[in-house]
Amino acid sequence: MRMISSYTSRLTIGSRHEGLQMTTPEATIAEVRTDVRRFLAEELAAASFRPTCDSWIQGHSVAFSRKLGDRGWLGMTWPQRYGGGGHSARERFTVIEELLAAGAPVAAHWIADRQTGPLLLRAGTEQQKRTFLPAIARGRLFIAAGMSEPDSGSDLASVRTRAVPTATGWRVSGRKVWTSHAHRSHYLLALVRTAAPDGDRHAGLSQMLIKLDSPGVAVRPIEVMTGESHFTEVTLDDVDVPNGMVVGRVGDGWRGVMSELAHERSGPERYLSTFPLLAELVSGGTVDGETALADIGSATARLWALRSLSLRVQDLLERGSPTDTAAALVKDLGTRLEGDIINITRRASQRGPGRADHGALPGLLRAAQLAAPSFTLRGGTNEILRGLVARGLGARDA
């Protein structure tokens, strides 16, 4: 039990990964980890946040994101000329996993830092990079993802939001859902159809940055089971978008979306959403019995394996290598583990969920249980992901 506790009470589950190309010295990683933990301890002491599960979706705090930006913990890997820190992917990974393990509120900047910034670096214009990236890195600009639509499910190629050309840009009409925190963001990065598919469903799609206070934009928060309203529906009614807001080449949006999804599916958030719950269970010191200990040991081993796979994907992303199959595996296996941790906690603690203010473990269990139905849906359902894995392994036709 003592060994399991040392593994799970914090993410001290090792930092050396032989064979990876992440060459950041271990001393640097240890220093970064220490800095983040010191910061989190100070914030907890000041009661600036209450740890929660699924904090990268549920934990929205503009003030906290600004503090991270001021410390240089957003846009960490981006070039300094665009406001980034010029750090390694491994250093960013360390910061991210410490924040998630602590259940810190990171939702405000999450999408912009995780996927919009890297997309702009890869496909954005120089003007877009200089306009958006510094503000994102300072925690002053938030962007929502506008991919999913009503009746489209995980089939992004079927989007029906259309953009037609005008004298100065594009006029966009349609609806987006699953756009977390759009009502608290400044821009929506929308996937829209700019031309008929013409036999290729992935052709004729483009991505555009749409200012969310533009005329014709309506954002409707939707309350979910947790009582939070992070989930929104965005209606676009003849919204004028300047040419300069198209990200990448017109008609090449599918490539950009796939790049974003690789980041979205492979990070530590895909297996650490319920980690605060597991850590609280173990640190409570009341778990006993062979079955409970075996369950916790199994979950810890799976965490270790997923962390190794996630690090491997970050390495591939940094080198520009394909990651579709590996990223899909991280999300499929990771979200299943997140759900299993809830069941393990319930069995081991012999307790049910309580109100958020009814002690740490019942409150965390409640938050995790109410968020759990979304784990295997967001970022692509498990069925879609397994199809990607099968295709990647050559067991299914493209």
Side-chain angles (χ1 to χ4, degrees):
M1 188 67 187
R2 190 178 301 114
M3 181 182 71
I4 293 171
S5 179
S6 70
Y7 270 16
T8 57
S9 61
R10 295 299 300 270
L11 268 175
T12 51
I13 53 180
S15 56
R16 184 176 301 279
H17 289 264
E18 302 294 344
L20 298 186
Q21 299 302 310
M22 294 184 177
T23 55
T24 306
E26 292 300 324
T28 301
I29 296 302
E31 185 177 338
V32 170
R33 196 179 298 282
T34 299
D35 285 347
V36 180
R37 289 183 179 182
R38 185 184 301 117
F39 165 75
L40 288 168
E42 292 170 355
E43 291 297 309
L44 283 169
S48 78
F49 75 93
R50 176 180 293 182
T52 187
C53 290
D54 208 30
S55 65
W56 62 281
I57 290 289
Q58 309 287 343
H60 190 285
S61 169
V62 172
F64 194 85
S65 292
R66 288 181 174 179
K67 289 179 183 178
L68 297 181
D70 291 343
R71 288 176 172 269
W73 289 339
L74 302 183
M76 286 184 67
T77 62
W78 306 348
Q80 293 180 343
R81 65 181 181 279
Y82 299 130
H87 296 289
S88 68
R90 182 68 184 284
E91 289 172 275
R92 179 181 183 272
F93 189 95
T94 301
V95 172
I96 294 299
E97 66 178 357
E98 286 295 330
L99 294 171
L100 293 173
V106 294
H109 64 266
W110 194 260
I111 299 296
D113 179 61
R114 178 183 68 179
Q115 60 197 67
T116 313
L119 175 68
L120 289 171
L121 277 173
R122 187 183 64 78
T125 64
E126 186 63 23
Q127 183 61 43
Q128 288 171 348
K129 293 173 186 175
R130 294 193 178 280
T131 299
F132 291 101
L133 294 179
I136 293 172
R138 289 188 292 111
R140 266 63 174 179
L141 181 70
F142 307 130
I143 299 177
M147 297 183 190
S148 299
E149 296 188 359
D151 305 321
S152 289
S154 295
D155 183 14
L156 290 180
S158 68
V159 299
R160 289 178 293 186
T161 296
R162 298 190 62 82
V164 296
T166 66
T168 58
W170 300 85
R171 185 157 295 160
V172 181
S173 296
R175 278 197 300 160
K176 296 289 180 180
V177 292
W178 209 268
T179 48
S180 291
H181 301 295
H183 57 314
R184 298 162 174 160
S185 299
H186 303 96
Y187 281 85
L188 176 77
L189 180 59
L191 178 68
V192 303
R193 184 159 290 287
T194 47
D198 196 25
D200 179 358
R201 298 173 70 241
H202 301 156
L205 294 166
S206 304
Q207 287 188 289
M208 300 178 180
L209 283 161
I210 299 175
K211 204 171 182 183
L212 283 167
D213 61 359
S214 300
V217 177
V219 182
R220 182 173 68 90
I222 300 173
E223 186 173 306
V224 296
M225 286 195 298
T226 61
E228 301 292 331
S229 298
H230 66 81
F231 185 43
T232 70
E233 177 187 61
V234 180
T235 301
L236 306 166
D237 185 10
D238 285 342
V239 179
D240 286 321
V241 180
N243 272 324
M245 291 295 102
V246 176
V247 180
R249 289 190 294 111
V250 172
D252 198 30
W254 187 255
R255 185 198 304 267
V257 165
M258 290 299 101
S259 167
E260 284 186 82
L261 287 176
H263 288 276
E264 182 176 344
R265 290 169 173 164
S266 62
E269 69 271 28
R270 293 307 182 184
Y271 53 89
L272 290 179
S273 293
T274 54
F275 181 84
L277 179 63
L278 182 63
E280 184 65 24
L281 173 69
V282 173
S283 64
T286 58
V287 177
D288 202 1
E290 290 298 321
T291 300
L293 293 174
D295 283 347
I296 293 171
S298 173
T300 305
R302 290 164 66 187
L303 271 170
W304 170 264
L306 280 163
R307 182 174 185 264
S308 297
L309 182 57
S310 180
L311 274 166
R312 178 62 175 164
V313 176
Q314 305 312 306
D315 181 30
L316 293 173
L317 284 169
E318 195 173 31
R319 288 189 282 145
S321 302
T323 61
D324 294 359
T325 303
L329 269 174
V330 172
K331 184 181 182 298
D332 181 21
L333 298 175
T335 53
R336 279 193 275 169
L337 172 61
E338 290 175 330
D340 289 346
I341 286 175
I342 296 173
N343 294 327
I344 290 169
T345 302
R346 210 162 34 209
R347 286 196 299 268
S349 65
Q350 297 291 307
R351 302 181 71 167
R355 294 178 60 84
D357 56 355
H358 282 187
L361 188 65
L364 288 170
L365 184 56
R366 175 182 183 273
Q369 193 159 297
L370 290 176
S374 68
F375 290 170
T376 57
L377 297 176
R378 58 197 185 194
T381 65
N382 283 22
E383 289 73 18
I384 292 289
L385 297 173
R386 290 166 197 170
L388 290 172
V389 173
R391 189 179 300 132
L393 296 176
R396 176 183 172 185
D397 293 336

